[in-house]
Amino acid sequence: MNTRSRARAIRRTLASVLVLNLVVAVAKLGIGVLTGSLSILADGLNSLLDASANVVGLIGMAVASRPPDPEHPYGHRRFEALTALVIAGAMGLLVVQILQEAWRRLQIGAMPEVTGLSFAVMIVTLGINSGVSLWERQRGRELRSPILSADAKHTAADAFVSIAVIGGLIAVRLGYPIVDPLLAVGIAGVIGWGAWTIIRDAALTLSDTAVVPVEVIEEAVRNVPGVQGVHNIRTRGGDGLVWVDLHIQVDPELSVRTAHDIASAVARAVEAAVGQSADVTVHVEPALPEHLRLTRGYRIWTE
């Protein structure tokens, strides 16, 4: 799948998830207001944040899918990671708001109303959240999209939170109203953990952390006929596209055309070994002593 098709597929997925998240958020917020349940309200706000994150994701993808230009020769793919950070920031703000309201409820001892409608809404929205999370996670893997993967984590947290809220409704019905604000605190913890994992994954991408083990690249290069050595293997990037650059050594008597053909074969082998789209840059060097110093990370083998 080319970059443009991938971007369209991600946008379609986000738009579909946005609609479903809005339906879930409205249902939860409505019943939360009617019953005065903080845990349901917190869950509804979390779902509303999911919808907001989808909007941010759509905007981010509109930028990230732009082709390379003179100011961005490597393209705009990192805007996906930046968008994921915006989602995490919004999740952090929501955590603070929920904790503040939970503390207030604990102080005044508020008693929420639990009705059959409360249970019905939570069970239906739980089913929607579970289905959306599984589908979005699958699409995130297929399209190798950090935005979809980040959003799927948040939606998955919603499903677990909804299960806890249903349990809390049962506890309140049995005469334990303190469970409601305590559950809200637990929901804040789940959201906070999700925010941390998103920040961690985005930081790995933005800090150019190696994304493919050197040994995997070496093994692929070693199987290419004509290559006598390899060093300076570097990788960066993330899901969707990986950048690889490396130096290979070949017989110094080869023609430029033959050396180029070997380099092209190396690029294809590396991309196959990486298992996804890869921009591979191969620097060809003659297999001479000055290029075979161990201090340069050279690895030699016998053909």
Side-chain angles (χ1 to χ4, degrees), residues 27-41:
K28 290 179 180 177
L29 290 173
I31 198 66
V33 170
L34 288 174
T35 62
S37 171
L38 179 59
S39 59
I40 295 180
L41 277 172

Side-chain angles (χ1 to χ4, degrees), residues 215-287:
E215 294 75 16
V216 172
I217 306 297
E218 286 183 350
E219 181 66 23
V221 175
R222 175 164 53 180
N223 292 323
V224 176
V227 176
Q228 297 185 16
V230 60
H231 66 195
N232 285 11
I233 297 174
R234 297 181 295 181
T235 63
R236 63 185 179 90
D239 288 339
L241 182 63
V242 172
W243 282 270
V244 182
D245 59 85
L246 55 92
H247 294 199
I248 62 170
Q249 291 76 42
V250 301
D251 185 342
E253 302 304 320
L254 293 178
S255 66
V256 173
R257 174 175 295 178
T258 301
H260 173 75
D261 289 342
I262 293 174
S264 297
V266 166
R268 291 191 296 270
V270 169
E271 185 170 29
V274 170
Q276 60 173 299
S277 296
D279 188 326
V280 184
T281 301
V282 182
H283 179 74
V284 179
E285 301 172 337

Side-chain angles (χ1 to χ4, degrees), residues 21 24-25 28-29 38-54 87 90-92 94-95 97-98 129 151 153-162 186-188 190-192 194-195:
N21 280 334
V24 169
K28 290 179 180 177
L29 290 173
L38 179 59
S39 59
I40 295 180
L41 277 172
D43 199 10
L45 288 171
N46 193 26
S47 296
L48 185 61
L49 180 59
D50 277 346
S52 301
N54 297 147
I87 295 173
M91 293 168 71
L94 182 57
V95 167
Q97 293 173 351
I98 293 174
N129 280 338
D151 198 54
K153 289 179 181 179
H154 193 190
T155 306
D158 278 355
F160 289 108
V161 166
S162 295
I187 293 172
V190 171
I191 297 172

Side-chain angles (χ1 to χ4, degrees), residues 16-32:
S16 299
V17 173
L18 169 61
V19 173
L20 293 172
N21 280 334
L22 284 174
V23 171
V24 169
V26 170
K28 290 179 180 177
L29 290 173
I31 198 66

Side-chain angles (χ1 to χ4, degrees), residues 67-90:
D69 56 42
E71 289 75 29
H72 303 87
Y74 290 98
H76 301 75
R77 296 292 293 275
R78 287 193 176 181
F79 280 96
E80 286 192 56
L82 291 173
T83 302
L85 287 177
V86 173
I87 295 173

Side-chain angles (χ1 to χ4, degrees), residues 25-242:
V26 170
K28 290 179 180 177
L29 290 173
I31 198 66
V33 170
L34 288 174
T35 62
S37 171
L38 179 59
S39 59
I40 295 180
L41 277 172
D43 199 10
L45 288 171
N46 193 26
S47 296
L48 185 61
L49 180 59
D50 277 346
S52 301
N54 297 147
V55 174
V56 173
L58 287 168
I59 296 173
M61 277 307 304
V63 177
S65 61
R66 292 177 181 173
D69 56 42
E71 289 75 29
H72 303 87
Y74 290 98
H76 301 75
R77 296 292 293 275
R78 287 193 176 181
F79 280 96
E80 286 192 56
L82 291 173
T83 302
L85 287 177
V86 173
I87 295 173
M91 293 168 71
L93 291 175
L94 182 57
V95 167
V96 174
Q97 293 173 351
I98 293 174
L99 291 177
Q100 289 176 339
E101 181 61 18
W103 176 248
R104 189 186 72 82
R105 293 286 185 95
L106 286 170
Q107 287 181 315
I108 66 176
M111 177 69 177
E113 179 186 0
V114 179
T115 65
L117 183 59
S118 302
F119 285 103
V121 168
M122 292 307 303
I123 291 172
V124 170
T125 55
L126 170 61
I128 295 175
N129 280 338
S130 300
V132 168
S133 175
L134 292 174
W135 177 61
E136 193 172 17
R137 185 181 306 167
Q138 179 183 356
R139 294 296 286 165
R141 291 197 191 106
E142 292 173 354
L143 299 172
R144 298 185 180 275
S145 168
I147 287 181
L148 292 181
S149 297
D151 198 54
K153 289 179 181 179
H154 193 190
T155 306
D158 278 355
F160 289 108
V161 166
S162 295
I163 294 174
V165 171
I166 292 172
L169 292 177
I170 296 174
V172 173
R173 193 75 173 264
L174 294 175
Y176 300 96
I178 194 175
V179 173
D180 187 58
L182 291 179
L183 265 177
V185 173
I187 293 172
V190 171
I191 297 172
W193 174 255
W196 157 245
T197 60
I198 292 172
I199 292 172
R200 179 196 61 198
D201 293 345
L204 291 176
T205 297
L206 295 174
S207 62
D208 282 339
T209 300
V211 294
V212 182
V214 169
E215 294 75 16
V216 172
I217 306 297
E218 286 183 350
E219 181 66 23
V221 175
R222 175 164 53 180
N223 292 323
V224 176
V227 176
Q228 297 185 16
V230 60
H231 66 195
N232 285 11
I233 297 174
R234 297 181 295 181
T235 63
R236 63 185 179 90
D239 288 339
L241 182 63
V242 172

